[in-house]
Amino acid sequence: MDQAQQQLAVRLMRSREAGGGDNRVARNVIMLMGDGLSITTLTAARILKGQHAGCSGEEAQLAVEQFPYSGLCKTYCTDSQTADSACAATACLTGIKTNYGSIGQSAQGVKVESILDWAQHADKATGIVTTTRLTDASPASGYAHVQRRSQELDIARQLIEDAPGRHLDVILGGGLGKFASERSDGRDLLKQWRASNPDGCFASTLSELRNCGATNGSLFGVFSDNHMAYHLAASKDQPRLRDMTEAAIQRLEQQPQGYFVFIEGGRIDHGHHETRAGYALDEMLELDAAIEVAVHLTNPNETLIIVTADHSHTLSMAGYANRGTAILGLDPSQRDLDGIPYSTLNYAIGKWQSLNKAGKRENPAPHLSKTSFTPSYIHARGVHSGEDVAVFALGPQSHLFSGVMEQNLLPHLMAYAACVGHGATICEPSP
């Protein structure tokens, strides 16, 4: 915490020396996270977006490319060179780095507050939106405190019974089983939530979510027993991330003191773990659409929007493919030393090596599709990678998010802009 405050002070000094004069306070803060959103994923998704529009693709733009400031975050954990979502999201939401697999506590096991707590103490509305289970590592880092991310039944209990979870105004995502059918302690957490929120609205489908728009109470939506389905495999009555983003912002805008909301495109990571780049890129485009909704529904003079990732993945984009080559395919002119074509996208580690029965690499082209495995080098389940991830910022104090920074600095910067938390803020520069 002290190190992050010192890093904030250095950024403020540099901003003053450069003549920076942004005096705007962020009434609202929206943090959008692409789980596993590596820089290669951003580039490949941009090309796919353009190719969906009938263009060659490379010249397309993602929503974040309109943001005026960007930087890089260092994602390592206290005990791990490469992060998992638990320690990385804890850094993004609580302001401290912690051990691999830990949520909402320090490396010594001390519980820490999150920016959701800070916002609630300032009488702001708060919300969590995700396409994963609500008890998965990234969303849980905003409200839970556990040594191991696998303790999801206790995480679900904390969401409903403990602060800050029980005070959330919006909760949207998947993982219904953790609240009811998978429990052995006799608790029906959905029933508890309804009892605690008599004016609230519960939704399990897109149509029910839309019907909740007429209510002023808390909003709780759980749209699947496990993670929400990939967009490419989802039914029409499963809300898309942009639908949940719109519902969340419209509900939170009712709070005169403003709000903080965490919105996660969580299944980018799952597509990468399966080493199916088509799923990962499509989930990134779902996040892109949600970012567009957030920008459209808010005023950039009073809403700070941050887009980042928790960690990276081993996807690479290699070779010298011709302009307009299908990003999920290959340019047949790009071949290895044996004359075998290789795909533009590959993973360092993954499930499919495109080998024939003799163990020799073969042309992957006949097997490539938007849902197929993507070729990889080492045979194993897809894993994270440890390089820096991008951060993009729009709105009040967004200039502070440029350059290279420790990942746990992010919530301190957001708190500074929104005048919440226990450190320096634009309202009170000297805590």
Side-chain angles (χ1 to χ4, degrees):
M1 288 290 190
D2 290 341
Q3 289 173 351
Q5 285 296 308
Q6 292 165 9
Q7 293 160 13
L8 169 59
V10 169
R11 285 174 178 265
L12 293 174
M13 180 183 66
R14 289 175 178 171
S15 177
R16 287 192 294 269
E17 290 175 350
D22 186 356
N23 296 316
R24 297 173 298 171
V25 175
R27 173 179 175 268
N28 314 309
V29 178
I30 301 174
M31 186 179 203
L32 295 116
M33 177 178 285
D35 196 314
L37 180 58
S38 65
I39 292 177
T40 302
T41 307
L42 284 166
T43 303
R46 175 200 301 136
I47 294 172
L48 184 62
K49 182 179 183 179
Q51 291 177 349
H52 283 339
C55 304
S56 67
E58 297 83 1
E59 72 290 339
Q61 286 195 326
L62 299 170
V64 292
E65 294 177 48
Q66 301 300 317
F67 285 31
Y69 296 97
S70 60
L72 294 171
C73 282
K74 299 189 283 187
T75 63
Y76 65 92
C77 309
T78 55
D79 63 346
S80 180
Q81 199 169 68
T82 298
D84 79 321
S85 291
C87 65
T90 294
C92 289
L93 292 170
T94 73
I96 61 123
K97 285 182 179 281
T98 190
N99 291 335
Y100 185 98
S102 291
I103 288 174
Q105 61 181 33
S106 72
Q108 293 76 32
V110 178
K111 294 180 180 179
V112 291
E113 290 185 336
S114 76
I115 193 170
L116 290 166
D117 290 288
W118 305 340
Q120 290 176 4
H121 296 332
D123 295 324
K124 291 183 180 292
T126 50
I128 285 178
V129 178
T130 182
T131 53
T132 69
R133 293 188 299 268
L134 286 159
T135 52
D136 203 31
S138 295
S141 296
Y143 63 83
H145 312 277
V146 293
Q147 184 176 0
R148 298 182 304 279
R149 59 182 291 178
S150 59
Q151 299 170 257
E152 290 193 51
L153 294 178
D154 187 47
I155 291 172
R157 182 201 61 76
Q158 292 184 45
L159 176 58
I160 301 302
E161 295 184 351
D162 298 346
R166 70 172 184 264
H167 301 307
L168 290 172
D169 299 276
V170 174
I171 305 170
L172 300 174
L176 183 65
K178 305 300 180 184
F179 298 90
S181 63
E182 296 180 32
R183 306 195 65 83
S184 59
D185 58 6
R187 283 183 169 92
D188 184 335
L189 296 178
L190 297 182
K191 185 176 180 180
Q192 286 182 223
W193 183 87
R194 288 189 173 101
S196 300
N197 297 271
D199 297 325
C201 188
F202 179 80
S204 61
T205 64
L206 174 59
S207 55
E208 290 177 357
L209 178 63
R210 288 172 172 165
N211 290 338
C212 284
T215 66
N216 294 322
S218 298
L219 175 59
F220 190 11
V222 190
F223 306 102
S224 59
D225 285 335
N226 202 324
H227 301 301
M228 294 176 66
Y230 288 118
H231 165 245
L232 288 175
S235 68
K236 292 183 178 180
D237 214 17
Q238 175 180 285
R240 297 171 66 173
L241 185 58
R242 69 184 187 190
D243 299 318
M244 295 191 290
T245 298
E246 180 178 11
I249 292 174
Q250 289 177 342
R251 168 62 188 84
L252 295 169
E253 282 282 2
Q254 300 172 21
Q255 169 57 264
Q257 300 301 320
Y259 60 85
F260 174 86
V261 61
F262 173 79
I263 300 171
E264 182 197 27
R267 304 222 63 194
I268 300 168
D269 177 68
H270 297 169
H272 282 319
H273 275 299
E274 292 184 31
T275 55
R276 297 177 190 262
Y279 278 125
L281 299 190
D282 185 74
E283 291 297 309
M284 169 52 210
L285 294 183
E286 287 296 290
L287 177 63
D288 184 62
I291 296 167
E292 290 179 347
V293 167
V295 171
H296 176 72
L297 292 178
T298 57
N299 181 346
N301 288 318
E302 65 176 18
T303 301
L304 172 64
I305 301 179
I306 303 300
V307 180
T308 191
D310 49 355
H311 56 74
S312 187
H313 266 276
T314 70
L315 183 70
S316 66
M317 180 177 169
Y320 303 97
N322 286 319
R323 179 82 180 268
T325 296
I327 192 61
L328 294 174
L330 56 76
D331 180 337
S333 71
Q334 300 302 297
R335 297 169 180 260
D336 66 15
L337 294 178
D338 296 321
I340 307 299
Y342 57 84
S343 55
T344 302
L345 298 179
N346 294 273
Y347 288 94
I349 300 174
K351 295 183 177 181
W352 178 51
Q353 283 63 56
S354 187
L355 304 177
N356 61 24
K357 293 181 179 180
K360 298 289 187 178
R361 207 179 68 80
E362 62 182 2
N363 185 355
H367 309 288
L368 295 178
S369 73
K370 65 181 181 181
T371 59
S372 68
F373 288 116
T374 300
S376 55
Y377 173 57
I378 297 171
H379 187 210
R381 181 176 182 264
V383 298
H384 298 171
S385 58
E387 69 267 19
D388 298 353
V389 296
V391 56
F392 303 90
L394 169 70
Q397 308 306 314
S398 54
H399 64 286
L400 296 174
F401 294 82
S402 60
V404 181
M405 67 202 79
E406 295 285 357
Q407 193 169 44
N408 66 298
L409 178 61
L410 291 177
H412 295 268
L413 298 179
M414 292 186 286
Y416 175 84
C419 297
V420 301
H422 307 295
T425 69
I426 190 173
C427 301
E428 298 182 27
S430 298

